[in-house]
Short mmCIF file of all heavy atoms in Angstrom, two decimals:
data_model
loop_
_atom_site.label_atom_id
_atom_site.label_comp_id
_atom_site.label_asym_id
_atom_site.label_seq_id
_atom_site.Cartn_x
_atom_site.Cartn_y
_atom_site.Cartn_z
N ASP Q 1439 104.45 2.51 26.01
CA ASP Q 1439 104.61 3.00 27.38
C ASP Q 1439 104.25 1.90 28.37
O ASP Q 1439 103.09 1.51 28.47
CB ASP Q 1439 103.71 4.23 27.58
CG ASP Q 1439 104.11 5.03 28.80
OD1 ASP Q 1439 104.94 4.54 29.60
OD2 ASP Q 1439 103.59 6.14 28.97
N VAL Q 1558 100.26 14.09 23.36
CA VAL Q 1558 100.05 14.59 24.73
C VAL Q 1558 101.41 14.89 25.36
O VAL Q 1558 102.40 14.23 25.04
CB VAL Q 1558 99.24 13.59 25.58
CG1 VAL Q 1558 97.86 13.35 24.97
CG2 VAL Q 1558 99.96 12.26 25.76
N SER Q 1561 102.19 11.83 30.82
CA SER Q 1561 101.48 10.55 30.95
C SER Q 1561 99.97 10.74 31.01
O SER Q 1561 99.47 11.78 31.45
CB SER Q 1561 101.94 9.80 32.20
OG SER Q 1561 103.28 9.41 32.05
N ASN Q 1562 99.28 9.70 30.61
CA ASN Q 1562 97.83 9.79 30.51
C ASN Q 1562 97.12 9.66 31.85
O ASN Q 1562 95.90 9.73 31.91
CB ASN Q 1562 97.32 8.70 29.55
CG ASN Q 1562 97.61 7.30 30.06
OD1 ASN Q 1562 98.63 7.06 30.70
ND2 ASN Q 1562 96.74 6.37 29.78
N ASP Q 1563 97.87 9.47 32.95
CA ASP Q 1563 97.23 9.44 34.28
C ASP Q 1563 97.44 10.75 35.03
O ASP Q 1563 97.12 10.85 36.21
CB ASP Q 1563 97.79 8.27 35.11
CG ASP Q 1563 99.28 8.41 35.40
OD1 ASP Q 1563 99.98 9.15 34.65
OD2 ASP Q 1563 99.75 7.77 36.36
N MET Q 1564 97.99 11.74 34.35
CA MET Q 1564 98.23 13.03 35.01
C MET Q 1564 97.04 13.96 34.75
O MET Q 1564 96.15 13.64 33.99
CB MET Q 1564 99.54 13.63 34.52
CG MET Q 1564 100.69 12.75 34.94
SD MET Q 1564 102.26 13.29 34.33
CE MET Q 1564 103.29 12.01 35.01
N ARG Q 1566 94.70 14.66 36.80
CA ARG Q 1566 93.48 13.99 37.25
C ARG Q 1566 92.55 15.00 37.89
O ARG Q 1566 92.97 15.86 38.67
CB ARG Q 1566 93.87 12.92 38.27
CG ARG Q 1566 92.72 12.03 38.66
CD ARG Q 1566 93.26 10.79 39.34
NE ARG Q 1566 92.21 10.06 40.01
CZ ARG Q 1566 92.40 8.92 40.64
NH1 ARG Q 1566 93.60 8.39 40.69
NH2 ARG Q 1566 91.40 8.30 41.22
N ASN Q 1567 91.27 14.93 37.59
CA ASN Q 1567 90.29 15.85 38.18
C ASN Q 1567 89.45 15.14 39.25
O ASN Q 1567 89.78 14.02 39.64
CB ASN Q 1567 89.44 16.48 37.07
CG ASN Q 1567 88.70 15.40 36.27
OD1 ASN Q 1567 88.20 14.42 36.83
ND2 ASN Q 1567 88.65 15.59 34.95
N GLY Q 1570 86.08 11.48 38.93
CA GLY Q 1570 86.06 10.04 39.10
C GLY Q 1570 86.19 9.62 40.55
O GLY Q 1570 86.35 10.47 41.44
N ASP Q 1575 90.59 3.23 42.23
CA ASP Q 1575 89.33 2.82 41.58
C ASP Q 1575 89.18 3.43 40.19
O ASP Q 1575 88.68 2.79 39.28
CB ASP Q 1575 88.14 3.22 42.46
CG ASP Q 1575 88.07 2.35 43.71
OD1 ASP Q 1575 88.82 1.34 43.76
OD2 ASP Q 1575 87.31 2.68 44.64
N ALA Q 1576 89.64 4.70 40.06
CA ALA Q 1576 89.52 5.36 38.74
C ALA Q 1576 90.39 4.67 37.70
O ALA Q 1576 90.06 4.65 36.52
CB ALA Q 1576 89.91 6.82 38.86
N LEU Q 1577 91.50 4.10 38.15
CA LEU Q 1577 92.41 3.44 37.21
C LEU Q 1577 91.92 2.04 36.84
O LEU Q 1577 92.19 1.54 35.76
CB LEU Q 1577 93.82 3.34 37.83
CG LEU Q 1577 94.48 4.69 38.11
CD1 LEU Q 1577 95.64 4.53 39.07
CD2 LEU Q 1577 94.96 5.34 36.83
N LEU Q 1578 91.19 1.45 37.76
CA LEU Q 1578 90.74 0.08 37.52
C LEU Q 1578 89.44 0.05 36.72
O LEU Q 1578 89.09 -0.97 36.11
CB LEU Q 1578 90.59 -0.66 38.85
CG LEU Q 1578 91.91 -0.77 39.64
CD1 LEU Q 1578 91.70 -1.47 40.98
CD2 LEU Q 1578 92.98 -1.52 38.84
N ASP Q 1579 88.70 1.18 36.73
CA ASP Q 1579 87.49 1.29 35.90
C ASP Q 1579 87.54 2.66 35.22
O ASP Q 1579 86.77 3.56 35.54
CB ASP Q 1579 86.24 1.13 36.76
CG ASP Q 1579 84.97 1.16 35.89
OD1 ASP Q 1579 85.08 0.94 34.66
OD2 ASP Q 1579 83.89 1.43 36.44
N PRO Q 1580 88.47 2.84 34.28
CA PRO Q 1580 88.77 4.19 33.78
C PRO Q 1580 87.73 4.77 32.82
O PRO Q 1580 87.17 4.06 31.99
CB PRO Q 1580 90.10 3.98 33.04
CG PRO Q 1580 90.11 2.54 32.65
CD PRO Q 1580 89.33 1.80 33.68
N LYS Q 1581 87.48 6.07 33.01
CA LYS Q 1581 86.70 6.86 32.05
C LYS Q 1581 87.60 8.04 31.67
O LYS Q 1581 88.23 8.65 32.54
CB LYS Q 1581 85.42 7.41 32.70
CG LYS Q 1581 84.56 6.34 33.38
CD LYS Q 1581 83.65 5.65 32.38
CE LYS Q 1581 82.70 4.67 33.07
NZ LYS Q 1581 83.36 3.44 33.59
N TYR Q 1582 87.63 8.38 30.39
CA TYR Q 1582 88.60 9.39 29.98
C TYR Q 1582 88.33 10.75 30.61
O TYR Q 1582 89.23 11.56 30.79
CB TYR Q 1582 88.67 9.50 28.45
CG TYR Q 1582 87.55 10.26 27.79
CD1 TYR Q 1582 87.66 11.63 27.60
CD2 TYR Q 1582 86.38 9.63 27.38
CE1 TYR Q 1582 86.64 12.35 27.00
CE2 TYR Q 1582 85.36 10.33 26.78
CZ TYR Q 1582 85.48 11.69 26.60
OH TYR Q 1582 84.47 12.40 26.01
N GLU Q 1583 87.07 10.99 31.02
CA GLU Q 1583 86.72 12.29 31.62
C GLU Q 1583 87.40 12.52 32.97
O GLU Q 1583 87.39 13.63 33.49
CB GLU Q 1583 85.20 12.41 31.81
CG GLU Q 1583 84.38 12.29 30.55
CD GLU Q 1583 83.92 10.87 30.24
OE1 GLU Q 1583 84.51 9.90 30.79
OE2 GLU Q 1583 82.99 10.72 29.45
N TYR Q 1584 87.96 11.48 33.56
CA TYR Q 1584 88.59 11.62 34.89
C TYR Q 1584 89.95 12.33 34.80
O TYR Q 1584 90.51 12.70 35.83
CB TYR Q 1584 88.83 10.26 35.53
CG TYR Q 1584 87.60 9.41 35.78
CD1 TYR Q 1584 87.73 8.06 36.11
CD2 TYR Q 1584 86.31 9.94 35.70
CE1 TYR Q 1584 86.64 7.26 36.35
CE2 TYR Q 1584 85.19 9.13 35.93
CZ TYR Q 1584 85.37 7.80 36.25
OH TYR Q 1584 84.28 6.99 36.49
N TRP Q 1585 90.49 12.47 33.59
CA TRP Q 1585 91.82 13.10 33.44
C TRP Q 1585 91.73 14.23 32.42
O TRP Q 1585 91.19 14.03 31.32
CB TRP Q 1585 92.86 12.07 32.97
CG TRP Q 1585 93.14 11.04 34.01
CD1 TRP Q 1585 94.11 11.10 34.97
CD2 TRP Q 1585 92.46 9.79 34.22
NE1 TRP Q 1585 94.07 9.98 35.75
CE2 TRP Q 1585 93.07 9.17 35.33
CE3 TRP Q 1585 91.39 9.15 33.58
CZ2 TRP Q 1585 92.63 7.92 35.81
CZ3 TRP Q 1585 90.96 7.93 34.06
CH2 TRP Q 1585 91.58 7.33 35.16
N ASP Q 1586 92.27 15.39 32.76
CA ASP Q 1586 92.19 16.56 31.86
C ASP Q 1586 93.42 16.65 30.95
O ASP Q 1586 93.91 17.74 30.66
CB ASP Q 1586 92.07 17.85 32.68
CG ASP Q 1586 90.71 17.94 33.36
OD1 ASP Q 1586 89.73 17.41 32.80
OD2 ASP Q 1586 90.64 18.51 34.47
N VAL Q 1587 93.94 15.53 30.53
CA VAL Q 1587 95.15 15.51 29.70
C VAL Q 1587 94.89 16.26 28.38
O VAL Q 1587 93.91 15.96 27.68
CB VAL Q 1587 95.57 14.06 29.37
CG1 VAL Q 1587 96.84 14.03 28.53
CG2 VAL Q 1587 95.76 13.27 30.65
N PRO Q 1599 89.39 17.27 27.97
CA PRO Q 1599 90.34 16.16 28.07
C PRO Q 1599 90.45 15.39 26.75
O PRO Q 1599 89.51 15.35 25.97
CB PRO Q 1599 89.71 15.27 29.15
CG PRO Q 1599 88.24 15.53 29.04
CD PRO Q 1599 88.12 16.98 28.68
N THR Q 1600 91.62 14.79 26.57
CA THR Q 1600 91.81 13.91 25.42
C THR Q 1600 90.88 12.71 25.52
O THR Q 1600 90.80 12.08 26.58
CB THR Q 1600 93.27 13.41 25.40
OG1 THR Q 1600 94.14 14.53 25.33
CG2 THR Q 1600 93.52 12.49 24.22
N ASP Q 1601 90.17 12.43 24.45
CA ASP Q 1601 89.36 11.20 24.44
C ASP Q 1601 90.32 10.04 24.22
O ASP Q 1601 90.67 9.69 23.10
CB ASP Q 1601 88.30 11.27 23.34
CG ASP Q 1601 87.39 10.04 23.39
OD1 ASP Q 1601 87.73 9.06 24.11
OD2 ASP Q 1601 86.34 10.06 22.73
N GLN Q 1602 90.73 9.46 25.33
CA GLN Q 1602 91.78 8.44 25.26
C GLN Q 1602 91.28 7.12 24.66
O GLN Q 1602 92.08 6.26 24.31
CB GLN Q 1602 92.37 8.20 26.64
CG GLN Q 1602 93.06 9.43 27.22
CD GLN Q 1602 93.94 9.08 28.40
OE1 GLN Q 1602 94.71 8.12 28.37
NE2 GLN Q 1602 93.82 9.85 29.48
N ARG Q 1603 89.97 6.99 24.55
CA ARG Q 1603 89.46 5.73 23.97
C ARG Q 1603 89.93 5.55 22.53
O ARG Q 1603 90.07 4.43 22.07
CB ARG Q 1603 87.92 5.73 24.01
CG ARG Q 1603 87.37 5.75 25.43
CD ARG Q 1603 85.88 5.96 25.43
NE ARG Q 1603 85.50 7.24 24.79
CZ ARG Q 1603 84.27 7.71 24.71
NH1 ARG Q 1603 83.27 7.00 25.22
NH2 ARG Q 1603 84.02 8.87 24.14
N THR Q 1604 90.14 6.66 21.85
CA THR Q 1604 90.53 6.56 20.43
C THR Q 1604 91.99 6.96 20.19
O THR Q 1604 92.40 7.11 19.04
CB THR Q 1604 89.62 7.48 19.59
OG1 THR Q 1604 89.71 8.81 20.11
CG2 THR Q 1604 88.18 7.02 19.62
N ILE Q 1605 92.75 7.10 21.26
CA ILE Q 1605 94.08 7.70 21.09
C ILE Q 1605 95.03 6.79 20.31
O ILE Q 1605 95.80 7.25 19.48
CB ILE Q 1605 94.68 8.12 22.47
CG1 ILE Q 1605 95.77 9.14 22.27
CG2 ILE Q 1605 95.17 6.95 23.27
CD1 ILE Q 1605 95.29 10.46 21.79
N THR Q 1606 94.97 5.49 20.55
CA THR Q 1606 95.88 4.60 19.81
C THR Q 1606 95.55 4.63 18.32
O THR Q 1606 96.44 4.73 17.47
CB THR Q 1606 95.76 3.16 20.37
OG1 THR Q 1606 96.19 3.18 21.74
CG2 THR Q 1606 96.62 2.18 19.58
N ARG Q 1607 94.27 4.60 18.00
CA ARG Q 1607 93.87 4.64 16.59
C ARG Q 1607 94.29 5.96 15.95
O ARG Q 1607 94.83 5.99 14.84
CB ARG Q 1607 92.34 4.46 16.47
CG ARG Q 1607 91.86 4.57 15.04
CD ARG Q 1607 90.40 4.15 14.88
NE ARG Q 1607 89.46 4.91 15.70
CZ ARG Q 1607 89.08 6.18 15.46
NH1 ARG Q 1607 89.58 6.83 14.44
NH2 ARG Q 1607 88.20 6.76 16.25
N ARG Q 1608 94.05 7.07 16.66
CA ARG Q 1608 94.36 8.37 16.07
C ARG Q 1608 95.87 8.58 15.91
O ARG Q 1608 96.32 9.19 14.94
CB ARG Q 1608 93.74 9.50 16.90
CG ARG Q 1608 92.22 9.57 16.69
CD ARG Q 1608 91.65 10.83 17.29
NE ARG Q 1608 91.56 10.77 18.73
CZ ARG Q 1608 91.29 11.83 19.51
NH1 ARG Q 1608 91.15 13.02 18.97
NH2 ARG Q 1608 91.19 11.69 20.82
N TYR Q 1609 96.66 8.08 16.85
CA TYR Q 1609 98.13 8.16 16.69
C TYR Q 1609 98.55 7.41 15.40
O TYR Q 1609 99.38 7.89 14.63
CB TYR Q 1609 98.84 7.53 17.88
CG TYR Q 1609 98.89 8.33 19.17
CD1 TYR Q 1609 99.36 7.74 20.34
CD2 TYR Q 1609 98.47 9.66 19.23
CE1 TYR Q 1609 99.43 8.45 21.53
CE2 TYR Q 1609 98.53 10.37 20.43
CZ TYR Q 1609 99.01 9.75 21.59
OH TYR Q 1609 99.08 10.45 22.77
N HIS Q 1631 103.51 5.82 21.70
CA HIS Q 1631 102.15 5.52 22.15
C HIS Q 1631 101.95 5.85 23.63
O HIS Q 1631 102.88 5.71 24.44
CB HIS Q 1631 101.84 4.04 21.92
CG HIS Q 1631 101.43 3.76 20.50
ND1 HIS Q 1631 100.21 4.16 20.01
CD2 HIS Q 1631 102.08 3.16 19.48
CE1 HIS Q 1631 100.12 3.78 18.73
NE2 HIS Q 1631 101.24 3.19 18.39
N SER Q 1632 100.74 6.24 23.98
CA SER Q 1632 100.40 6.47 25.39
C SER Q 1632 100.08 5.17 26.10
O SER Q 1632 100.16 5.09 27.33
CB SER Q 1632 99.18 7.40 25.50
OG SER Q 1632 99.51 8.69 25.06
N MET Q 1633 99.69 4.17 25.37
CA MET Q 1633 99.32 2.87 25.92
C MET Q 1633 100.53 1.95 25.93
O MET Q 1633 101.44 2.15 25.13
CB MET Q 1633 98.19 2.25 25.09
CG MET Q 1633 96.87 3.01 25.17
SD MET Q 1633 96.12 2.90 26.79
CE MET Q 1633 96.05 4.62 27.27
N PRO Q 1634 100.55 0.91 26.81
CA PRO Q 1634 99.53 0.51 27.77
C PRO Q 1634 99.76 1.05 29.19
O PRO Q 1634 99.58 0.33 30.17
CB PRO Q 1634 99.65 -1.02 27.75
CG PRO Q 1634 101.13 -1.25 27.55
CD PRO Q 1634 101.60 -0.13 26.66
N HIS Q 1635 100.17 2.31 29.30
CA HIS Q 1635 100.27 2.95 30.62
C HIS Q 1635 98.86 3.09 31.19
O HIS Q 1635 97.95 3.51 30.47
CB HIS Q 1635 100.92 4.33 30.42
CG HIS Q 1635 101.31 5.06 31.65
ND1 HIS Q 1635 100.38 5.56 32.54
CD2 HIS Q 1635 102.53 5.41 32.14
CE1 HIS Q 1635 101.03 6.19 33.51
NE2 HIS Q 1635 102.33 6.10 33.30
N VAL Q 1636 98.67 2.78 32.47
CA VAL Q 1636 97.34 2.96 33.06
C VAL Q 1636 97.04 4.45 33.20
O VAL Q 1636 97.97 5.23 33.44
CB VAL Q 1636 97.21 2.28 34.45
CG1 VAL Q 1636 97.34 0.79 34.33
CG2 VAL Q 1636 98.16 2.87 35.46
N PRO Q 1637 95.80 4.88 33.08
CA PRO Q 1637 94.58 4.12 32.83
C PRO Q 1637 94.51 3.60 31.39
O PRO Q 1637 94.85 4.30 30.46
CB PRO Q 1637 93.47 5.17 33.07
CG PRO Q 1637 94.12 6.48 32.72
CD PRO Q 1637 95.55 6.34 33.17
N LEU Q 1638 94.06 2.36 31.28
CA LEU Q 1638 94.00 1.73 29.96
C LEU Q 1638 92.76 2.18 29.19
O LEU Q 1638 91.68 2.35 29.77
CB LEU Q 1638 93.95 0.20 30.12
CG LEU Q 1638 95.13 -0.46 30.84
CD1 LEU Q 1638 94.90 -1.97 30.94
CD2 LEU Q 1638 96.45 -0.17 30.13
N PHE Q 1639 92.94 2.34 27.89
CA PHE Q 1639 91.81 2.65 27.01
C PHE Q 1639 92.00 1.92 25.69
O PHE Q 1639 93.13 1.70 25.25
CB PHE Q 1639 91.73 4.16 26.73
CG PHE Q 1639 91.36 4.97 27.94
CD1 PHE Q 1639 92.35 5.57 28.72
CD2 PHE Q 1639 90.03 5.12 28.32
CE1 PHE Q 1639 92.01 6.31 29.85
CE2 PHE Q 1639 89.69 5.86 29.44
CZ PHE Q 1639 90.68 6.45 30.21
N ARG Q 1640 90.90 1.59 25.06
CA ARG Q 1640 90.93 1.03 23.69
C ARG Q 1640 89.65 1.46 23.01
O ARG Q 1640 88.65 1.77 23.65
CB ARG Q 1640 91.15 -0.48 23.68
CG ARG Q 1640 90.00 -1.38 24.06
CD ARG Q 1640 89.69 -1.32 25.52
NE ARG Q 1640 89.01 -2.50 26.01
CZ ARG Q 1640 88.03 -2.46 26.93
NH1 ARG Q 1640 87.59 -1.31 27.42
NH2 ARG Q 1640 87.50 -3.58 27.36
N SER Q 1641 89.69 1.42 21.68
CA SER Q 1641 88.52 1.87 20.94
C SER Q 1641 87.49 0.74 20.87
O SER Q 1641 87.78 -0.41 21.20
CB SER Q 1641 88.92 2.38 19.56
OG SER Q 1641 89.65 1.40 18.88
N ASP Q 1642 86.28 1.09 20.44
CA ASP Q 1642 85.14 0.16 20.51
C ASP Q 1642 85.44 -1.18 19.85
O ASP Q 1642 85.04 -2.23 20.35
CB ASP Q 1642 83.91 0.78 19.82
CG ASP Q 1642 83.33 1.92 20.65
OD1 ASP Q 1642 83.75 2.06 21.83
OD2 ASP Q 1642 82.48 2.66 20.13
N ARG Q 1643 86.13 -1.11 18.73
CA ARG Q 1643 86.39 -2.33 17.96
C ARG Q 1643 87.21 -3.37 18.74
O ARG Q 1643 87.20 -4.55 18.42
CB ARG Q 1643 87.14 -1.94 16.67
CG ARG Q 1643 87.12 -2.96 15.58
CD ARG Q 1643 87.34 -2.30 14.22
NE ARG Q 1643 88.71 -1.79 14.07
CZ ARG Q 1643 89.74 -2.52 13.66
NH1 ARG Q 1643 89.58 -3.82 13.42
NH2 ARG Q 1643 90.93 -1.99 13.50
N PHE Q 1644 87.90 -2.91 19.78
CA PHE Q 1644 88.79 -3.83 20.51
C PHE Q 1644 88.25 -4.23 21.90
O PHE Q 1644 88.90 -4.97 22.61
CB PHE Q 1644 90.19 -3.22 20.63
CG PHE Q 1644 90.91 -3.23 19.31
CD1 PHE Q 1644 90.72 -2.19 18.40
CD2 PHE Q 1644 91.70 -4.30 18.94
CE1 PHE Q 1644 91.34 -2.21 17.16
CE2 PHE Q 1644 92.32 -4.34 17.69
CZ PHE Q 1644 92.15 -3.29 16.80
N ILE Q 1645 87.06 -3.73 22.23
CA ILE Q 1645 86.51 -4.07 23.55
C ILE Q 1645 86.17 -5.56 23.61
O ILE Q 1645 85.53 -6.10 22.71
CB ILE Q 1645 85.26 -3.20 23.84
CG1 ILE Q 1645 85.68 -1.74 24.02
CG2 ILE Q 1645 84.53 -3.72 25.07
CD1 ILE Q 1645 84.53 -0.77 24.18
N ASP Q 1646 86.62 -6.20 24.69
CA ASP Q 1646 86.36 -7.63 24.93
C ASP Q 1646 86.81 -8.52 23.77
O ASP Q 1646 86.18 -9.52 23.46
CB ASP Q 1646 84.86 -7.87 25.19
CG ASP Q 1646 84.43 -7.20 26.48
OD1 ASP Q 1646 85.28 -6.98 27.35
OD2 ASP Q 1646 83.23 -6.88 26.60
N GLY Q 1651 91.84 -10.33 28.27
CA GLY Q 1651 91.06 -9.31 28.97
C GLY Q 1651 91.43 -7.91 28.52
O GLY Q 1651 92.00 -7.71 27.45
N PHE Q 1652 91.11 -6.93 29.39
CA PHE Q 1652 91.24 -5.51 29.06
C PHE Q 1652 92.67 -5.19 28.59
O PHE Q 1652 92.87 -4.57 27.53
CB PHE Q 1652 90.89 -4.69 30.31
CG PHE Q 1652 90.57 -3.24 30.06
CD1 PHE Q 1652 89.71 -2.56 30.93
CD2 PHE Q 1652 91.11 -2.52 29.00
CE1 PHE Q 1652 89.41 -1.22 30.74
CE2 PHE Q 1652 90.82 -1.18 28.80
CZ PHE Q 1652 89.98 -0.53 29.68
N TYR Q 1653 93.66 -5.61 29.37
CA TYR Q 1653 95.05 -5.30 28.99
C TYR Q 1653 95.37 -5.90 27.62
O TYR Q 1653 96.01 -5.27 26.77
CB TYR Q 1653 96.02 -5.83 30.05
CG TYR Q 1653 97.46 -5.44 29.80
CD1 TYR Q 1653 97.96 -4.21 30.22
CD2 TYR Q 1653 98.33 -6.30 29.11
CE1 TYR Q 1653 99.27 -3.84 29.96
CE2 TYR Q 1653 99.64 -5.94 28.86
CZ TYR Q 1653 100.12 -4.72 29.29
OH TYR Q 1653 101.41 -4.35 29.03
N GLY Q 1654 94.90 -7.10 27.38
CA GLY Q 1654 95.13 -7.75 26.08
C GLY Q 1654 94.47 -6.97 24.95
O GLY Q 1654 95.03 -6.84 23.85
N ASP Q 1655 93.25 -6.43 25.20
CA ASP Q 1655 92.59 -5.61 24.17
C ASP Q 1655 93.49 -4.44 23.76
O ASP Q 1655 93.61 -4.11 22.58
CB ASP Q 1655 91.29 -4.98 24.73
CG ASP Q 1655 90.19 -5.99 24.99
OD1 ASP Q 1655 90.29 -7.14 24.53
OD2 ASP Q 1655 89.20 -5.61 25.67
N VAL Q 1656 94.09 -3.80 24.78
CA VAL Q 1656 94.93 -2.63 24.53
C VAL Q 1656 96.15 -3.01 23.69
O VAL Q 1656 96.50 -2.32 22.72
CB VAL Q 1656 95.36 -1.99 25.88
CG1 VAL Q 1656 96.39 -0.89 25.66
CG2 VAL Q 1656 94.14 -1.46 26.62
N ILE Q 1657 96.78 -4.13 24.01
CA ILE Q 1657 97.97 -4.55 23.25
C ILE Q 1657 97.55 -4.96 21.83
O ILE Q 1657 98.27 -4.69 20.86
CB ILE Q 1657 98.68 -5.74 23.96
CG1 ILE Q 1657 99.04 -5.37 25.40
CG2 ILE Q 1657 99.94 -6.15 23.17
CD1 ILE Q 1657 99.86 -4.13 25.57
N GLU Q 1658 96.41 -5.57 21.70
CA GLU Q 1658 95.98 -5.99 20.36
C GLU Q 1658 95.66 -4.78 19.50
O GLU Q 1658 95.86 -4.80 18.28
CB GLU Q 1658 94.82 -6.99 20.48
CG GLU Q 1658 95.34 -8.29 21.11
CD GLU Q 1658 94.33 -9.43 21.17
OE1 GLU Q 1658 93.30 -9.36 20.48
OE2 GLU Q 1658 94.59 -10.40 21.92
N GLU Q 1659 95.17 -3.69 20.10
CA GLU Q 1659 94.96 -2.48 19.30
C GLU Q 1659 96.31 -1.85 18.91
O GLU Q 1659 96.48 -1.35 17.79
CB GLU Q 1659 94.09 -1.45 20.04
CG GLU Q 1659 93.82 -0.24 19.14
CD GLU Q 1659 92.68 0.66 19.58
OE1 GLU Q 1659 92.28 0.60 20.76
OE2 GLU Q 1659 92.20 1.44 18.73
N LEU Q 1660 97.28 -1.89 19.83
CA LEU Q 1660 98.63 -1.41 19.48
C LEU Q 1660 99.19 -2.24 18.32
O LEU Q 1660 99.80 -1.70 17.39
CB LEU Q 1660 99.57 -1.51 20.68
CG LEU Q 1660 99.38 -0.47 21.79
CD1 LEU Q 1660 100.17 -0.87 23.03
CD2 LEU Q 1660 99.81 0.92 21.32
N ASP Q 1661 98.98 -3.53 18.39
CA ASP Q 1661 99.46 -4.41 17.32
C ASP Q 1661 98.83 -4.04 15.98
O ASP Q 1661 99.52 -3.98 14.95
CB ASP Q 1661 99.13 -5.87 17.68
CG ASP Q 1661 99.55 -6.83 16.60
OD1 ASP Q 1661 100.76 -7.05 16.43
OD2 ASP Q 1661 98.65 -7.34 15.88
N MET Q 1697 95.63 -5.03 35.20
CA MET Q 1697 95.68 -3.84 34.34
C MET Q 1697 97.12 -3.50 33.94
O MET Q 1697 97.35 -2.55 33.19
CB MET Q 1697 95.03 -2.64 35.05
CG MET Q 1697 93.58 -2.86 35.41
SD MET Q 1697 92.54 -3.08 33.94
CE MET Q 1697 91.80 -1.46 33.83
N GLY Q 1698 98.08 -4.22 34.49
CA GLY Q 1698 99.47 -4.04 34.10
C GLY Q 1698 99.93 -5.25 33.28
O GLY Q 1698 99.23 -6.27 33.20
#
Side-chain angles (χ1 to χ4, degrees):
D1439 197 350
V1558 299
S1561 293
N1562 63 326
D1563 64 338
M1564 295 176 181
R1566 188 163 166 178
N1567 59 40
D1575 289 349
L1577 297 163
L1578 299 178
D1579 183 19
K1581 307 276 185 288
Y1582 78 90
E1583 300 92 341
Y1584 300 167
W1585 292 269
D1586 290 329
V1587 181
T1600 301
D1601 185 347
Q1602 297 195 46
R1603 296 171 300 183
T1604 56
I1605 200 69
T1606 297
R1607 176 170 58 74
R1608 286 191 285 169
Y1609 284 171
H1631 278 289
S1632 292
M1633 294 291 120
H1635 189 291
V1636 295
L1638 300 178
F1639 292 96
R1640 75 288 204 218
S1641 55
D1642 288 349
R1643 198 156 69 85
F1644 288 86
I1645 292 174
D1646 294 336
F1652 198 152
Y1653 185 85
D1655 291 347
V1656 172
I1657 304 305
E1658 292 185 16
E1659 184 164 18
L1660 286 168
D1661 178 72
M1697 300 296 259

